């Protein structure tokens, strides 16, 4: 077909178009390839590989040092000499080798025969089995097969024996040869290793830089590098090529993500940029050490090049004043401050990079993202508890795991300054327009990376109990989320907001069902309205005078918020008092009159201060001292400043500036009593109310009753019973009633016509939400008794119908209205959630369930008018949106120590929402027009920023874990469960306030500072005991019983163990907690001790005693040594300076480590207990051995301090009996005013007890710090003549309890090493060095261990038999010289007593 | 009360006016009026100078609007960029067609031959057609590659079936259908109406046997056909896509182009049933028990609409058309036309009377 001539389109034109479009497409495809290739992470990886290459180069330089050559030559020489040494044995060796060859050949032949026969036997066996199966036993064929089998079996057996003969021969010869050649082989290996190291360093360097291996240093082959790094060329290199740039990812099967009704593993690509995160060489410390080590080799290289040499950087000076050795700083890395570290590292890098420049190499650039994880030993590292290949990164940090671009990975800029800086660096721009910004990412990604302060929210995924996160190798972790969890239950968040993991928490507020017996309406109303006006440190939050209900918060729908809220408060108060039921306080015996002075002493002595603060008592001392330190005032000025403060300001000062009880748990080092740092601020506890204004609050009768028995007023209170005697309670009550806060204006909100109208309007509003206006109006006015019947039905469930009717019908209309409004107001604000209030039994909590709060879509969080990123709003309207509290809200700001202008952005994230809600709960109502009952009502707790962040962290952790069980902490099967539960409970009961349970710093410690000859020390002996190792010490059954029935163990202690109202389950939790703590310590110690012991034993067996003594220097055991050192210092087994290589000679350090091992092993075996198994039953046999035990017991002098057995029953007829009947516990006060505690009961001087008169009593204080408490009585002696007898208070526990209280193993350990088990104990070490003082005494045969057992057996048997050791009677006669009846040389003491007389 | 949008600059007042004008009823009215003006004055409007000015003004308005962060956020969203391009493209193609139609119509009036007359429109498959297709293919590929580079798709978080995105939007070409769901029961909006669109489009060649306008551009010769088509396409398809893309925000609420998409902004959504209006409003009687009686007025209205309107139209506007088309064709055309008009009618009823359903037989899921 002919082609038509006229064509519509000009072929040339089409050709041109085709050419243009082809060029365009080609260009676009190249562009695509380039865009795909040009990723920011390549630059980071290049930096990393350059740095790695540089380090390899440094290794190579090391290997090029003359010393290295020397080492190599030395090794070669040793090889030569070993060979030389082996020469005389050459003949022998040759002979052996020949023999070996012969034996080996014979073995092979024999073995071949054996193997063949064995295989045939297998066939025969199979035949026999088949025949047996087919024909049965006894058949001819079976018999034949069996016979053949037996025959072959015998053959195989004999062949095997033959073979083994030769085998043994061969092996024996081989081992002989090996022994002969051992030295030569080792030397050869050493030489090879050294050569290999040099070559491999060079090779690594070359590979990382893409230089051909065979090539020398200078001669690069750029082509190779160009190809393996080129776009589309990079895939040609195998994945394992060193220096290959590629996307790296961690595939994490155990970390799950939700994908359309199924879960999938997570893939974290963070390591693509953070490439050094798992490279220990890039951990700061190791890097510094590596660079430091490189300096000599660099100098060597420089000198080869004829360049100037370099000097190590100036070493930093430690805080203690020690100057570190130049070039040896990295060994003391932990002692340096963060700034010093980075400064030193930079200086090192500068030096090394100077050299790199000389070599024309890339400099080492360290810094994000080229750094190892800062907590490398806890996270990421393969040996750590959280290895990167198991848990990955986003499990805690969140963000977009699969992205490799900075912005799209959802990095979160913490402040807008940083965002600005990041914008320029990281936004993805195309054609100059930023098209991936932080805002776009926020739009698509609900969970951007967490700011560092919230990372701990991730902990809860696996550590669901949270409290098990505490210390790791001496560093404290999880403080934020722990504090958040603690606050959530402690301040009462949990009462309004359910979280299913915390279900069953108690109500934090006091019981208000009998409020009329405790408080007056004049107090209650202003208190509800503004609790902090009365007590600035209170936990009771502020509902009123907040941003949305103060005058400035008025709007069209709520024109008078202040009047409204005052009316509401009046109504609440009316309701509470109207429904307050009859409650009779515990009546005070008629003759008891409280003595405030004595009460004040008792208040301090009994330990009330462990939970309660008391600014009235300590304010002057604390605030003056703090002012002097903080502002550098002199004492006079500081005192005047203090005087000038109102009471409220003082408490305000204390609550703003002093650490609180939470710090004693979560930041204990800052609050621990430290004799070296007496300038530490005091701990102002907020655990229980500060009592410094209590006298203005409660009634005296109520207070007495409360002190005597708190449970009488409120069965669920946390306040324990202190087992006070009526007189003590009266004293303390009268003291507390003197603590008044007169600045707090009391008074009711009078029902003025305005308030009354407001009340009616509010009721109308509430009613008309459901009913018509006309009906609502009628109810408000109680037309036809409608209001009455509504009230009756409201209260029927609580009071019963008749009582409710009686109550309501007798009221005036106003009272009825207020009753109704009060009920609805309590219901609206949710007062009943924290307080027991009548009429609200079983009401559901008012707050949102927060169990999975963090999973809520961000769009469901109402950010009010904060529509844009915070800085936009702040820029446009700074006065409205620039501050946590509005500019004019000075009164709100005053109460909150929060900075008014937060740097952190309000982004639309969960964290920003929660944090700002916590700081100002009404912030998300700002500029909104709302009706009164639509307004936000969460009260203001005036959290500090730290607390707000802690709570936010906790809330952020409330989401499904999405991790497999294999990652979750095994609470059921390990000690962690009981420990976590124990920590919950002890924190709730505030055991931490008095006892050191783990590493907490008890609040009460600050009151036990004691001046001993000019030095302030902690009065350990009189403070509540430290409970380290309690689980290993006491028997579980006893401890369980003890919680239910506290008996004084140390009668001389003034501070009292309270009687908590514990359930049996709670007591069990505590017992299990203590046991688990001991077990955990034993396990941890064992983890460190076992490898050390094993290694030392192995080296000793090889005869390397030197190695065994310097085990702690070996890198293999460095971690274990570090852990053991930390444990020993922490538990006061050793002092840190014992290990200080700078301060101590090497011998001393070695000795210290030897001691450390001993002590750690001792503690390990002590703590290694079986729980819940108690002690084996006792076999009591009062035989000759028992007698011997009792003698040894006496000879040991146990009874000098201890008593044994119960006191006799009174009355005491004479002084002999008196001594055995009345135990002197303590003496309080001095001189004639002294109070003598006998058998736990107080007696004044001059009291007559069973015909004996108390003459005098005193506490003798000795220079060493010991106290001896004595009392003198006068009474009829055994022969009828009056005599004076001195009573001596026991200073050690009653041993009669031991058999049921203590564990046997512990008792033996305690006798051996009391000071290790309880530092600063008064118990002497009777078995010094483990040796019995009576070793070798014919009366006590056996070893020291036998003596220990004898003593323990005696203690337990005698205790179980109920024996008692009579107390010593000390008669004072006129000569006053026969006191010393025990004959133990107490002369000096009594001489001193004379002086005191 | 300080409102973020009530800041003081004059531009903000303009923005506010535009925001108000972008409320759906105003927007729709303005669109219809604009279309009507365009069709009536197509000769003037399509003059290069006028059209160029309009285009330039629109571009200027667009650029000035880009000073507003909310506007930028919406139009630069990677998903929305094609819709911006589509708006430009629809405008341009409309102009192109009507410009040629205008020229042809003028020529016809002057008795000159058409622009297309005498053109040999035969093209050789090889090399011309295939070659051009190849070039188009290459250019499209290049354009798509560049597009993918310049506007990369964001990597969103893993889809969670328990959490629907807010707003949850259909693909852009279905946004018109999604908009219908606001006004009609799903069986109508999701099944019948889309089905009828397809059926109607298929039916056009059989209904419309008018040979005029074949192979050349004209408006004057086919005013009804073109106007009807443009009403269906521009107003009921393109405008609804614009609604769905730019104006429908969180909770499927309407937002002005300069408004922040606040998920917490409340919207007054009241629904009234026709039976309530009729029985309670008009007759002041309680609703009849039986649903058929209850819905009788609505059914009468709907049936009346489909029965009475064709008859009325036949007698008035469409008299000549009926004669040309014959009974069956006319009735099919009228049915399709009325079906199409259901949409704007229902929208107007919703906006004016909050009318939910005309016939609300919820017992049978049969709502109109």
């Amino acid at each position: 077909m002919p082609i038509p001539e006229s064509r519509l389109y000009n072929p040339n034109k089409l050709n041109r178009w085709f050419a243009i479009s082809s060029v365009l497409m080609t260009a676009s495809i190249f562009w695509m390839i380039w865009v795909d290739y040009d990723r920011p992470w390549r630059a980071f990886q290049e930096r990393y590989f350059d740095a790695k290459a540089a380090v390899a180069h440094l290794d190579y330089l090391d290997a090029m040092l003359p010393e290295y050559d020397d080492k190599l030559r030395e090794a070669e020489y040793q090889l030569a000499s070993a060979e030389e040494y082996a020469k005389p044995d050459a003949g022998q060796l040759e002979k052996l080798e020949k023999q070996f060859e012969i034996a080996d050949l014979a073995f092979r032949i024999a073995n071949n025969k054996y193997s063949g026969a064995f295989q045939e036997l297998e066939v025969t066996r199979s035949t026999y089995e088949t025949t047996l199966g087919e024909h049965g036993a006894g058949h001819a064929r079976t018999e034949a097969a069996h016979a053949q089998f037996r025959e072959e079996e015998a053959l195989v057996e004999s062949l095997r024996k033959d073979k083994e003969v030769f085998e043994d021969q061969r092996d024996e010869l081989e081992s002989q040869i090996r022994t002969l050649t051992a030295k030569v082989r080792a030397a050869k290996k050493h030489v090879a290793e050294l050569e290999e190291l040099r070559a491999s360093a060079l090779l690594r360097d070359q590979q990382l830089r893409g230089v051909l291996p065979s090539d020398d240093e200078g001669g690069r082959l750029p082509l190779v590098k160009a190809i393996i790094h080129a776009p589309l060329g990079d895939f040609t290199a195998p994945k394992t090529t060193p220096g290959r740039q590629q996307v790296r990812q961690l595939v994490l099967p155990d970390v799950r993500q939700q994908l359309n009704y199924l879960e999938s593993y997570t893939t974290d690509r963070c390591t693509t940029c953070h490439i050094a995160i798992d490279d220990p060489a890039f951990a700061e410390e190791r890097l510094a050490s590596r660079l430091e080590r490189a300096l000599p080799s660099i100098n060597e290289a420089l000198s080869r090049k004829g360049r100037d040499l370099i000097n190590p950087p100036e070493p930093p000076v430690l805080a203690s004043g020690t100057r570190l050795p130049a070039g040896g700083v990295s060994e003391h890395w932990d002692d340096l401050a963060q700034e010093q570290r980075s400064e030193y590292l930079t200086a090192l890098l500068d030096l090394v990079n100077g050299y790199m420049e000389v070599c024309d190499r890339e400099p080492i650039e360290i810094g994000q993202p080229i750094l190892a994880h800062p907590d490398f030993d806890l996270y990421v590292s393969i040996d750590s508890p959280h290895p990167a290949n198991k848990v990955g990164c986003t499990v805690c940090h969140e963000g977009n795991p699969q992205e490799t671009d900075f912005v799209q990975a959802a990095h979160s800029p913490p402040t807008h300054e940083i965002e600005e800086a990041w914008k320029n660096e990281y936004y993805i721009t195309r054609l100059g327009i930023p098209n991936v910004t932080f805002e776009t990412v926020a739009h698509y990604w609900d969970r951007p990376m967490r700011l560092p302060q919230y990372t701990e929210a991730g902990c809860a995924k696996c550590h669901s109990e949270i409290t098990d996160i505490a210390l790791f190798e001496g560093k404290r972790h999880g403080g934020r989320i722990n504090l958040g969890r603690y606050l959530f239950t402690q301040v009462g968040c949990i009462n309004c907001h359910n979280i299913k993991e915390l279900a069953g928490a108690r109500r934090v507020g006091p019981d208000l069902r009998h409020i009329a017996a405790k408080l007056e309406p004049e107090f209650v109303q202003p208190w509800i309205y503004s609790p902090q006006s009365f007590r600035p440190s209170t936990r009771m939050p502020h509902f009123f005078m907040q941003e949305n209900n103060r005058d400035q918060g008025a709007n069209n729908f709520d024109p008078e918020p202040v009047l409204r809220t005052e009316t509401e408060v009046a109504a609440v108060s009316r309701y509470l008092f109207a429904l307050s039921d009859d409650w009779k306080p515990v009546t005070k015996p008629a003759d008891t009159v409280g003595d405030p002075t004595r009460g004040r002493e008792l208040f301090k002595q009994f330990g009330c201060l462990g939970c309660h603060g008391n600014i009235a008592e300590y304010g002057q001392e604390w605030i003056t001292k703090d002012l002097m330190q903080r502002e550098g005032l002199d004492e006079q000025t500081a005192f005047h400043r203090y005087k000038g403060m109102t009471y409220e300001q003082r408490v305000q000062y204390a609550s703003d500036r002093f650490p609180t009880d939470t710090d004693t748990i979560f930041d204990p080092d800052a609050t621990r009593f430290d004799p070296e740092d007496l300038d530490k601020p005091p701990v102002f506890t907020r655990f229980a109310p500060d009592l410094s204004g209590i006298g203005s609050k409660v009634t005296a009768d109520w207070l007495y009753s409360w002190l005597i028995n708190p449970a009488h007023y409120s069965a669920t209170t946390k306040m324990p019973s202190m087992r006070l005697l009526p007189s003590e309670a009266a004293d303390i009550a009268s003291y507390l009633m003197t603590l008044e806060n007169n600045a707090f204006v009391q008074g009711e909100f009078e029902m003025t016509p305005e308030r009354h109208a407001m009340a009616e309007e509010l009721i109308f509003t509430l009613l008309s939400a459901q009913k018509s206006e006309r009906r609502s109006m009628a109810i408000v006015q109680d037309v036809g008794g409608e209001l009455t019947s509504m009230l009756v039905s409201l209260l029927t469930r609580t009071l019963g119908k008749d009582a409710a009717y009686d109550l309501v019908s007798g009221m005036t209309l106003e009272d009825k209205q207020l009753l109704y409004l009060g009920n609805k107001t309590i219901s609206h604000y949710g007062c009943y959630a924290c307080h027991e209030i009548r009429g609200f039994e079983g009401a559901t909590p008012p707050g949102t369930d927060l169990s999975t709060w963090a999973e809520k879509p961000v769009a469901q969080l109402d950010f009010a008018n904060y529509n844009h990123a915070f800085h936009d709003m702040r820029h446009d309207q700074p006065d409205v949106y620039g501050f946590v509290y509005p500019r004019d809200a000075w009164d709100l700001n005053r109460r909150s120590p929060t900075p008014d202008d937060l740097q952190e952005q309000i982004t639309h994230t969960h964290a920003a929402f929660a944090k700002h809600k916590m700081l100002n709960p009404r912030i998300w109502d700002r500029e909104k027009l709302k009706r009164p009952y639509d307004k936000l009502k969460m009260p203001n707790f005036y959290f500090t920023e730290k607390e707000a962040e802690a709570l936010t962290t906790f809330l952020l952790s409330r989401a499904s874990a999405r991790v497999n069980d294999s990652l979750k902490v095994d609470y059921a099967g390990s000690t962690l469960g009981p420990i976590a539960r124990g920590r919950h409970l002890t924190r709730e009961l505030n055991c931490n306030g008095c006892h050191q349970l783990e590493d907490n710093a008890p609040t009460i410690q600050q009151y036990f500072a004691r001046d001993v000859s000019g030095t302030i020390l902690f009065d350990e002996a009189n403070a509540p005991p430290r409970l380290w190792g309690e689980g290993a010490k006491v028997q579980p059954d006893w401890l369980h019983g003890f919680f239910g029935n506290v008996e004084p163990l140390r009668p001389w202690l003034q501070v009292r163990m309270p009687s908590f109202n514990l359930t049996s389950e709670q007591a069990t939790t505590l017992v299990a907690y203590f046991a688990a703590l001991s077990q955990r310590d034993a396990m941890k110690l064992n983890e460190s001790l076992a490898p050390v012991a094993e290694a030392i034993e192995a080296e000793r067996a090889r005869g390397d005693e030197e190695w065994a003594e310097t085990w702690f220097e070996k890198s293999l055991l460095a971690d274990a040594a570090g852990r053991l050192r930390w444990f020993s210092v922490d538990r006061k087994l050793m002092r840190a300076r014992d290990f200080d290589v700078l301060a101590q000679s090497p011998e001393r350090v070695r000795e210290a480590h030897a001691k450390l091992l001993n002590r750690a092993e001792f503690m390990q075996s002590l703590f290694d207990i079986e729980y819940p198994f108690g002690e084996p039953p006792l076999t009591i046999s009062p035989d000759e051995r028992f007698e011997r035990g009792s003698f040894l017991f006496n000879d040991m002098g146990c009874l000098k301090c201890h008593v044994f057995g119960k006191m006799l029953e009174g009355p005491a007829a004479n002084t002999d009996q008196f001594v055995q009947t009345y135990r002197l516990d303590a003496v309080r006060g001095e001189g004639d005013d002294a109070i003598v505690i006998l058998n736990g009961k107080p007696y004044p001087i001059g009291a007559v007890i069973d015909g004996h008169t108390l003459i005098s009593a005193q506490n003798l204080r000795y220079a060493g710090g010991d106290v001896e408490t004595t009392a003198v009585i006068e009474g009829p002696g055994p022969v009828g003549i009056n005599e004076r007898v001195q009573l001596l208070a026991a200073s050690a526990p009653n041993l009669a309890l031991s058999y049921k209280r203590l564990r046997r193993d512990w008792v033996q350990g305690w006798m051996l090493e009391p000071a290790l088990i309880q530092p600063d104990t008064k118990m002497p070490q009777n078995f010094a060095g483990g040796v019995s003082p009576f070793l070798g005494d014919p009366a006590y045969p056996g070893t020291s261990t036998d003596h220990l057992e004898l003593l323990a057996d005696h203690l337990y048997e005698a205790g179980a038999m109920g024996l008692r050791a009579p107390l010593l009677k000390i008669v004072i006669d006129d000569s006053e010289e026969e006191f010393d009846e025990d004959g133990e040389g107490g002369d000096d003491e009594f001489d001193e007593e004379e002086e005191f007389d | 009360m300080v409102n973020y949008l009530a800041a003081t600059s004059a531009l903000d007042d303009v923005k506010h006016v535009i925001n108000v004008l972008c409320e759906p009823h105003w927007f729709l009215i303005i669109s219809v009026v604009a279309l009507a003006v365009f069709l009536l004055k197509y000769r003037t409007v399509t003059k290069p100078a006028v059209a160029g000015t309009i285009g330039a003004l629109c571009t200027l308005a667009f650029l000035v609007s880009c000073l507003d962060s909310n506007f930028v956020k919406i139009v630069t969203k990677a998903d929305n960029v094609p819709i911006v391009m589509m708006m430009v493209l629809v405008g341009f193609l409309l102009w192109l067609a009507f410009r040629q139609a205008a020229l042809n119509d003028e020529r016809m009036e002057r008795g000159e031959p058409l622009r297309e007359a005498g053109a040999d429109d035969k093209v050789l498959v090889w090399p011309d057609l295939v070659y051009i297709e190849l070039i188009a293919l290459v250019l499209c590929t290049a354009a798509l590659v560049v597009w993918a580079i310049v506007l990369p798709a964001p990597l969103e978080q893993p889809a969670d079936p328990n959490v629907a995105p807010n707003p949850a939007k259909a693909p852009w070409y279905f946004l018109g259908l999604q908009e219908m769901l606001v006004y009609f029961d799903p069986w109508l909006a999701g099944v019948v109406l889309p089905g009828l669109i397809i059926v109607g489009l298929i039916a056009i060649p059989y209904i419309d046997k008018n040979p005029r306008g074949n192979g050349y551009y004209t408006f004057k010769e086919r005013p009804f056909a073109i106007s009807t088509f443009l009403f269906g396409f521009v107003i009921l398809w393109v405008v609804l896509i614009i609604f769905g893309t730019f104006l429908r925000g969180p909770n499927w609420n309407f937002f002005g182009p300069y408004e922040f998409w606040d998920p917490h902004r409340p919207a007054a959504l009241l629904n009234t049933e026709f039976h309530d209006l009729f029985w309670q409003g008009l007759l002041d009687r309680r609703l009849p028990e039986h649903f058929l009686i209850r819905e009788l007025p609505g059914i009468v209205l709907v049936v009346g609409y489909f029965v009475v309107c064709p008859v009325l139209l036949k007698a008035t506007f469409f008299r000549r058309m009926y004669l040309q088309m014959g009974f069956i064709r006319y009735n099919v055309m009228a049915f399709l036309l009325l079906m199409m008009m259901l949409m704007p009618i229902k929208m107007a009823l919703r906006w004016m009377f909050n009318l939910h359903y005309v016939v609300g037989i919820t017992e049978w899921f049969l709502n109109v």
Side-chain angles (χ1 to χ4, degrees), chain B residues 302-324:
Chain B
V302 172
V303 173
Y305 173 72
F306 283 106
V307 174
V308 177
C309 285
V311 180
L312 274 180
L313 287 171
K314 186 173 83 178
T316 54
F317 301 108
F318 291 169
R319 197 182 314 171
R320 201 161 55 93
M321 209 185 289
Y322 176 72
L323 294 175
Q324 284 170 357

Side-chain angles (χ1 to χ4, degrees), chain A residues 1013-1304:
Chain A
S1013 50
T1015 330
I1016 308 282
L1017 287 177
F1018 174 53
D1019 187 5
E1020 187 114 22
N1022 288 311
R1026 183 184 276 142
L1027 298 181
W1028 288 346
E1030 184 74 2
K1033 176 179 178 180
V1034 298
Q1035 299 180 23
D1037 290 351
W1038 174 84
L1039 188 58
H1040 190 275
F1042 177 74
F1043 287 125
N1045 180 23
V1046 176
E1047 49 189 332
L1049 297 171
R1050 298 173 181 80
W1052 67 94
L1053 284 190
Q1054 295 180 326
V1055 59
R1056 277 193 189 179
M1057 169 78 186
S1059 295
F1060 288 94
N1061 195 6
L1062 295 184
T1063 63
S1064 176
E1065 287 78 37
Q1066 285 176 317
T1068 309
T1069 302
L1070 291 178
V1071 173
Y1073 170 53
F1074 287 120
L1077 281 180
S1078 292
Q1079 287 173 326
R1080 193 233 10 219
D1081 283 345
M1083 202 179 69
K1084 289 266 169 202
L1085 278 172
N1086 194 41
E1087 273 171 19
S1088 305
L1089 280 171
V1092 173
E1094 197 179 310
I1096 289 181
E1097 197 180 328
E1099 292 300 323
R1100 284 231 163 92
R1102 286 176 39 182
D1104 198 343
E1105 194 60 34
E1106 169 79 10
W1107 197 100
E1109 278 180 20
T1110 57
W1111 60 273
F1112 53 92
E1113 291 171 359
K1114 309 298 176 225
S1115 59
L1116 188 70
L1117 301 177
D1119 286 351
R1123 285 198 296 269
L1124 286 174
R1125 275 196 296 262
W1126 174 77
F1127 182 87
S1128 70
V1129 173
D1130 185 59
R1131 293 301 175 82
K1132 307 197 178 195
L1133 304 180
M1134 308 282 295
R1135 291 164 308 178
R1137 67 183 135 96
D1138 295 340
F1139 306 115
D1140 190 346
V1141 287
L1142 288 182
Q1144 308 284 358
S1145 66
E1147 291 75 38
R1148 294 286 297 277
V1149 175
R1150 268 187 214 190
E1151 280 167 26
H1153 279 91
K1155 223 190 250 177
L1156 165 69
L1157 271 191
N1158 274 334
R1159 293 185 172 178
E1161 275 162 8
F1162 174 78
M1163 297 306 270
Q1164 199 274 335
S1165 64
L1166 190 73
F1167 284 161
D1168 194 9
I1169 52 163
E1170 299 272 330
Y1171 176 80
F1173 304 106
E1175 293 295 293
L1178 276 174
T1179 46
I1180 302 169
S1181 49
D1183 52 5
E1184 178 266 337
R1185 187 164 178 274
F1186 181 79
E1187 286 293 309
R1188 193 143 37 90
S1190 93
F1191 288 132
L1192 180 59
F1193 190 73
N1194 271 325
D1195 287 351
M1196 279 281 183
C1198 304
L1199 289 171
K1200 271 196 279 179
C1201 302
H1202 292 280
V1203 286
F1204 198 114
K1206 281 186 185 156
M1207 304 309 287
L1208 296 181
E1209 294 285 322
N1214 56 32
T1215 48
D1216 269 10
Q1217 287 181 10
F1218 191 92
V1219 170
Q1220 307 304 336
T1221 309
Y1222 290 94
R1223 185 189 61 222
L1224 173 62
D1225 287 341
V1227 173
R1228 312 255 153 81
E1230 281 175 34
D1232 291 343
D1233 293 336
I1235 297 288
V1236 180
I1237 316 285
L1238 292 174
N1239 285 354
K1241 287 195 182 121
Y1243 298 95
I1245 298 291
V1248 178
I1249 309 142
D1250 295 352
H1252 300 73
T1253 318
L1254 254 179
I1255 304 294
S1256 68
Q1258 62 208 339
N1259 291 308
L1260 294 180
R1261 287 170 204 283
Y1262 297 117
D1266 291 343
V1267 179
E1268 191 174 73
T1269 304
T1270 57
V1272 178
I1273 53 138
E1274 191 178 294
V1279 288
I1281 305 159
N1282 266 15
E1283 58 181 4
R1284 288 189 171 196
V1285 170
Q1286 187 187 38
L1287 303 173
L1288 201 61
S1291 59
N1294 189 338
L1295 291 179
L1297 272 177
S1298 306
Y1299 81 100
K1300 56 178 178 181
R1301 173 169 168 244
L1302 303 173
R1303 287 177 184 263
R1304 281 281 289 274

Side-chain angles (χ1 to χ4, degrees), chain A residues 218-233:
Chain A
R220 288 183 175 208
L221 272 188
L223 194 64
V224 177
K225 189 178 179 180
I227 290 175
I228 66 166
H229 289 166
L232 292 187

Side-chain angles (χ1 to χ4, degrees), chain A residues 7-8 14-15 18 21 28 32 257-259 261 430 435 439 444-446 859 861-862 867-868 876-877 927, chain B residues 1-2 4 73 77 123-124 127-128 131 134-135 138-139 142 145 149-150 154 156-159 161 260 264:
Chain A
R7 302 251 309 264
L8 196 59
L14 286 181
N15 285 343
F18 182 66
S21 57
S28 71
M32 178 178 80
Q257 50 178 314
Q258 190 79 29
L259 292 172
Y261 296 110
R430 295 260 186 267
N435 60 358
E439 278 190 21
Y444 288 113
W445 202 263
D446 255 7
L861 305 175
D862 188 351
N867 291 337
H868 307 264
D876 293 341
Q877 293 178 65
E927 302 297 306
Chain B
M1 266 302 280
V2 190
Y4 179 70
K73 238 179 247 167
K77 197 175 168 230
V123 176
L124 294 179
D128 293 346
Y131 202 6
L134 178 67
I135 292 170
V138 170
L139 280 175
V145 169
I149 293 171
V150 175
E156 300 184 25
Q157 53 196 342
F260 174 73
H264 300 280

